[in-house]
Amino acid sequence: MRCCICGCEFNGFGNNPDPLCASDDNEARCCDDCNYSVTSARMIQLKQIEINLNASDEELTEFLEDKYIVIFYSHTSTAPTECIVNNGKFLTGEKIEGGQVVNKKVMGSWGHFLLDLEKDNYVVIDKF
């Protein structure tokens, strides 16, 4: 079996990789080493600030101002997975000045891709 996070082959049943995989991928499994990252992601989610996806663009912009976005998985980019594998860290971003929100998509300061609030696995947490 191949780990959906690092791509390495492993034996056994594997571990549930949520939230570091697509939420609709019921077949994905991760190795024991990457399961540490999964556990860390779940701990971060416990600190998650809930976002009302039905909020107006102005409300979302105001809410996201001065917050960190921690991205676990993106449907349009492999950057989060590569960041986890190469650096052992999650891809994080800070809201760009002006809090650009377009069609419920938010562009972070990492500049690699648009965060899709409806499909991507992410959390928004207060700055420390």
Side-chain angles (χ1 to χ4, degrees), residues 69-83 90-96 100 105-117 119-122:
I69 299 173
V70 180
I71 300 168
F72 303 125
Y73 175 86
S74 169
H75 279 72
T76 60
S77 173
T78 59
T81 299
E82 290 172 8
C83 190
F90 301 107
L91 188 67
T92 61
E94 193 172 344
K95 285 301 297 155
I96 58 174
Q100 181 180 356
K105 290 184 181 179
V106 180
M107 182 178 287
S109 61
W110 52 84
H112 292 98
F113 59 93
L114 292 176
L115 175 65
D116 188 324
L117 298 179
K119 294 181 180 177
D120 296 339
N121 292 345
Y122 71 96

